């Protein structure tokens, strides 16, 4: 054990967690200055720093003793009330604070729900491609992933129904708004039809919805949760709405699941951070959130448009661009002969990184895809970075043809 | 799924987590005013509220943009440096910041290390009795617990060596300072001998040390970690030193384990809370922590002395009191005929709660023990509560004899 820890000592669940490609790249390149389209960082210029500083001051002055003590594992009740009220109003549905549990980002909701439900070998339906953080988190519970195709308007429901009917499915995971990595959103009709299938086959959907408020056109349709409230665990996150460093997200659960989720969560880390829950609640109730969200939408939509325009201008014609409906990413489909996991090594040498598609699949596929983040780069960087990617693509295509 | 979630849908790991007795009691009694010796709440009157409010204001003003962005999963480097420096100096050992990982309380360190190491059926050594939060957290990974007797100066090492020698042990868990629930501390000799066994049999100890700074007499001896640094994961917590609502603890790991712990942790919730890490670091570097700790020690020692005195005055002579060396709890051993899990129902009716010993054992033992918290009750409450417990004990003893 002295210098290296013997591999066989690690648990099977740990060994099943795929390495993060982004992280291994970042470790490799160290702290060099890169143009990064890789991560999913919000644009820090949009953080409401002054308002949050004021909220921080106010809650420590008003409630210091309470904030500093141990607290309830389900989260700060007024914050749960705020979430319930906002989304009850937004979708004309009835969410009570008792259905809302505060988590350390929506990532923890995925982890806890997986801990609660997934036995080794249990079948879990994923979109193809799917969010890499969910793949990592769920992998630690040794599921048997079943991937279903993602179309322009959401998953292929005939494949989903086929799995529901013939396989013993434990859970389905989907990002229905501005899907990560593809940027597509589910149509209203598809949401309703998926809800119908969940009810018909008595299945549970983890509807992961961190980009709910980050739409570029009209508001996104109501979540699947609206049409099957007892068959959906619906997450949300303040990371994209306000700021990720606060590490507060939530999940709206079918009431029957709440006490079980709570118990599984207590075993993980007792309770969510008090200070940031109070700060967020104060911020949300003393500022115009919708105005703030409008600023984020406008900025991200313009960054997405800029990147799309530059991609169309420079990339080889054979590369297909999926226009994002919101969120933070553009998804590219490469022609034969271009492998993203090879391309990345070429662009890295020239100071540009992105995430090759493989990270978003569970069975090694996806090397014909690229995910590009546009929220954390300004137009000049976008143009420089895209040009480098385009040049390296052209070179690789020349070698092939 | 409509009203109740079918039990068979839950994972085996979830179903293996024991319910929290304290929580089920508290749920049962609702929000009534009780005298509680049950929880492990620090005394809120000792929280440095003003200083933390000032630190909160300062870090938001200085570093707002950084605090609000996503951050590294290992934690805020200056805070890791502070921890490394303090304990390197305190014990004349060499801890580098790279060995320190910040967690959501030390509870998360237990959870992540369990996720990383424990396969279903793996043998884990626990002290008998052991910390109930560790039992809950580890149970979710389906270990085969092996309990070893706890003596006045630490575990029975012959039992430990026997297990190391003959069984395939994955991990040992121990609280070496002011053990929860027993209040005992390991002697220096026992620490050295345990370290020798860890090295001899190449075993890993999770040395959980939240009460390191809460000693009532002389400083506690150096941790087992000092004598076998590559065989010990050593946790610490700001919950008892500063305030639990900040939810920041840490673990000092053998270097070979750090990248693996980090990967398992990322899959759980990405990274620790930024704001509270900055606040703690600012507080620790702008205030006299040792003076603050001295206030906590003095207060808790006087509360412990008060409770001990009252217990000796009122309890039946047959009840044995273990004098606490630090921390937050007094451990009682009851004579035949007194069952703590029956007594609690009587005292609850009269407004007094504590934790029956059963919660601290994995195989249903311990009903002849009681854990009493003394940090969160003032002398008058302590006297009233203990008198009620004593009266109910006398009644039960009368029935028996």
């Amino acid at each position: 054990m002295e210098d290296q820890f013997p591999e066989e000592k690690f648990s099977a669940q740990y060994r099943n967690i795929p390495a993060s490609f982004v992280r291994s790249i970042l470790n490799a390149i160290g702290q060099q200055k890169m143009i990064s389209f890789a991560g999913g960082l919000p644009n820090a210029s949009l953080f409401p720093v002054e308002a949050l500083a004021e909220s921080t001051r106010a809650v420590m002055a008003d409630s210091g003793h309470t904030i500093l003590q141990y607290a309830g594992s389900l989260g700060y009740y007024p914050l749960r009330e705020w979430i319930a009220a906002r989304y009850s109003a937004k979708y004309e549905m009835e969410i009570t604070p008792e259905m809302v549990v505060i988590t350390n980002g929506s990532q923890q909701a995925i982890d806890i729900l997986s801990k609660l439900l997934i036995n080794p070998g249990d079948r879990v339906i994923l979109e193809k491609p799917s969010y890499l953080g969910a793949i990592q988190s769920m992998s630690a519970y040794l599921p048997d992933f079943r991937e279903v195709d993602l179309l322009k308007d959401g998953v292929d429901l005939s494949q989903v129904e086929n799995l529901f009917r013939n396989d013993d499915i434990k859970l389905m995971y989907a990002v229905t708004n501005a899907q990560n990595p593809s940027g597509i959103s589910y149509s209203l009709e598809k949401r309703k039809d998926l809800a119908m299938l969940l009810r018909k086959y008595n299945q549970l959907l983890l509807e992961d919805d961190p980009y709910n408020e980050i739409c570029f056109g009209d508001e996104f349709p109501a979540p699947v949760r609206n049409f099957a409230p007892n068959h959906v665990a619906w997450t949300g996150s303040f990371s994209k709405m306000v700021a990720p460093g606060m590490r507060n997200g939530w999940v709206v659960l079918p009431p029957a699941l709440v006490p079980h989720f709570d118990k599984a969560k207590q075993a993980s880390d007792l309770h969510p951070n008090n200070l940031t829950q109070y700060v967020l609640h104060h911020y949300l109730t003393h500022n115009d959130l919708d105005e703030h969200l409008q600023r984020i939408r406008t900025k991200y939509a313009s960054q997405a448009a800029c990147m799309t325009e530059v991609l169309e201008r420079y990339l080889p014609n054979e590369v297909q661009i999926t226009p994002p409906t919101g969120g933070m990413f553009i998804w590219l489909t490469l022609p034969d002969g271009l492998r993203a996991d090879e391309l990345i090594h070429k662009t890295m040498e020239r100071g540009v990184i992105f995430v090759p598609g493989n990270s978003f699949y569970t069975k090694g596929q996806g090397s014909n895809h690229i995910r590009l983040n546009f929220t954390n780069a300004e137009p000049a960087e976008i143009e420089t970075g895209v040009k480098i990617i385009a040049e390296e693509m052209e070179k690789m295509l020349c070698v092939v043809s």
Side-chain angles (χ1 to χ4, degrees), chain A:
Chain A
M1 205 178 298
E2 296 300 326
D3 293 308
Q4 259 203 307
F5 200 82
E7 183 69 22
E8 68 274 13
K9 282 264 191 183
F10 294 123
S11 68
Q13 66 258 15
Y14 167 69
R15 281 182 277 169
N16 197 48
I17 302 173
S20 161
F21 185 87
V22 186
R23 200 161 307 267
S24 54
I25 282 184
L26 292 178
N27 286 346
I29 60 174
Q31 303 301 318
Q32 294 166 46
K33 177 71 191 149
M34 303 285 276
I35 294 179
S36 175
F37 304 138
L41 297 187
N43 197 307
S45 72
L46 296 165
F47 295 154
V49 180
E50 296 304 317
L52 287 168
E54 167 53 24
S55 292
T56 306
R57 192 206 55 72
V59 300
M60 278 301 285
D62 290 353
S63 317
H65 278 94
T66 311
I67 288 171
L68 296 171
Q69 188 54 283
Y70 281 112
S73 47
L74 295 170
Y76 180 45
Y77 194 81
L79 186 59
R80 296 162 69 202
E81 282 183 309
W82 183 92
I83 293 163
R86 178 172 179 90
Y87 295 100
S88 291
K90 182 168 179 178
Y91 297 116
E92 294 174 17
M93 60 181 167
E94 222 174 292
I95 299 177
T96 66
E98 284 69 25
M99 300 174 190
V100 181
V101 183
I102 309 293
T103 53
N104 299 335
S106 47
Q107 184 76 21
Q108 195 192 31
I110 303 172
D111 180 52
I112 301 295
L113 210 68
S114 303
K115 178 181 265 189
L116 179 56
L117 295 171
I118 302 174
N119 278 313
D122 274 358
R123 297 184 183 105
V124 173
I125 298 179
L126 290 183
E127 299 156 318
K128 186 166 63 177
S130 185
Y131 167 51
L132 75 95
I135 294 174
Q136 289 178 312
S137 189
M138 292 181 166
S139 292
Y141 301 91
L142 300 164
D144 176 4
F145 286 127
R146 301 295 163 114
E147 296 173 313
V148 296
D149 289 321
L150 196 60
L151 313 174
K152 281 194 178 114
D153 64 344
V155 280
D156 183 327
L157 286 185
S158 64
Q159 293 178 28
V160 172
E161 179 157 22
N162 211 28
L163 287 164
F164 280 170
R165 190 190 295 120
N166 298 316
D167 287 279
D168 191 11
I169 300 296
K170 180 58 79 70
L171 183 66
M172 174 171 171
Y173 173 86
V175 182
T176 49
N177 288 323
Q179 203 255 6
N180 181 353
S182 71
I184 70 111
S185 290
Y186 284 47
S187 67
L188 178 60
E189 198 188 351
K190 187 143 282 188
R191 290 165 201 246
K192 288 182 177 170
D193 290 348
L194 176 53
M196 204 187 59
L197 289 182
L198 294 169
R199 291 200 311 272
K200 179 173 171 188
Y201 293 98
N202 199 24
Q203 294 287 345
L204 186 71
L205 172 70
L206 172 44
E207 185 175 21
D208 193 10
D209 196 10
Y211 309 112
N212 181 286
E213 306 277 9
I214 316 293
C215 50
F216 294 162
D218 298 332
E219 289 283 353
F220 294 125
V224 177
R225 195 260 169 207
N226 260 36
F227 313 110
N230 284 314
H231 294 78
V232 178
W234 180 43
T235 75
S237 172
F238 291 112
S239 293
K240 279 80 187 180
M241 283 166 71
V242 185
M246 310 291 260
R247 304 307 306 127
N248 282 128
W250 70 88
V251 58
V252 179
L253 291 167
L257 272 183
V258 172
H260 300 286
F261 186 92
D262 185 30
K263 186 174 149 192
K265 186 164 167 282
Q266 283 162 28
S268 294
D269 67 351
L270 301 185
H271 71 79
N273 194 288
N274 268 355
L275 175 55
T276 52
Q277 290 187 88
Y278 274 75
V279 170
L280 276 169
H281 181 258
H282 187 278
Y283 169 78
L284 295 166
T285 52
H286 289 77
N287 294 274
D288 187 340
L289 178 67
D290 288 307
E291 190 189 66
H292 171 68
L293 289 172
Q294 198 46 54
R295 270 199 301 279
I296 298 181
R297 286 184 199 122
T298 305
K299 171 85 174 173
Y300 288 2
S302 99
Q303 286 174 298
C306 164
M307 186 176 268
T308 305
E309 191 271 319
V310 174
L311 288 168
E312 281 169 351
R313 182 141 38 105
Y314 293 108
L315 287 194
N317 281 330
E318 301 90 327
V319 179
Q320 196 187 305
I321 303 165
T322 307
T325 58
M328 306 168 71
F329 305 106
I330 293 181
W331 185 239
L332 303 182
T333 308
L334 311 183
D336 285 352
L338 268 186
R339 288 185 54 110
D341 47 353
E342 293 172 4
L343 180 67
I344 182 79
H345 295 288
K346 302 294 181 190
T347 65
M348 256 175 70
E349 285 172 19
R350 298 181 62 189
V352 181
I353 54 172
F354 55 81
V355 184
N358 316 56
S359 296
F360 308 99
Y361 295 78
T362 64
K363 297 177 175 65
Q365 326 95 305
S367 64
N368 62 323
H369 290 285
I370 282 177
R371 190 192 74 175
L372 297 172
N373 168 259
F374 51 77
T375 58
N376 206 31
E378 294 306 316
E381 274 185 311
I382 290 177
E383 179 154 8
T384 310
V386 168
K387 267 169 85 172
I388 289 171
I389 294 174
E391 286 165 20
E392 294 302 324
M393 280 182 173
E394 294 285 4
K395 283 190 218 163
M396 286 176 75
L397 280 174
C398 277
V399 172
V400 172
S401 59

